[in-house]
Amino acid sequence: MMKRKKVKYTDEPIGRVKVIPDFLPSPSNLVPKKETVKVTLSLSKASVDFFKKIAKKNHTQYQKMIRLLLDNYIEHFN
């Protein structure tokens, strides 16, 4: 196991500082909202269980994963 060096902090001046304006988009702009329509759809238990399991591992919603899968399918074949 490597021994870590202890960090020593000082109050020395750091020199000339340049403030950079925030150029990153806000979190709400990273995933644009698409218009959605609610539908009733019967899926196999195995399919729903699969998406729920994967969604839980990735900390997301299984319905969102299914929606994105369908959107990608449409983009591919459209």
Side-chain angles (χ1 to χ4, degrees), residues 59-76:
H59 308 286
T60 190
Q61 300 169 345
Y62 77 96
Q63 298 98 327
K64 187 180 214 177
M65 290 181 63
I66 296 170
R67 185 171 51 250
L68 289 171
L69 174 69
L70 291 172
D71 288 346
N72 286 329
Y73 183 89
I74 291 165
E75 282 182 31
H76 181 77

Side-chain angles (χ1 to χ4, degrees), residues 1-45:
M1 182 186 244
M2 286 183 61
K3 196 172 185 181
R4 291 185 177 186
K5 289 184 178 181
K6 189 171 182 176
V7 177
K8 293 182 182 181
Y9 295 98
T10 64
D11 285 333
E12 296 176 24
I14 58 174
R16 190 176 187 129
V17 177
K18 180 179 179 184
V19 176
I20 299 173
D22 187 7
F23 60 91
L24 296 173
S26 68
S28 62
N29 289 335
L30 292 176
V31 181
K33 297 285 184 185
K34 291 184 178 180
E35 182 181 0
T36 60
V37 177
K38 292 206 181 261
V39 297
T40 301
L41 178 68
S42 295
L43 301 173
S44 69
K45 181 175 180 347

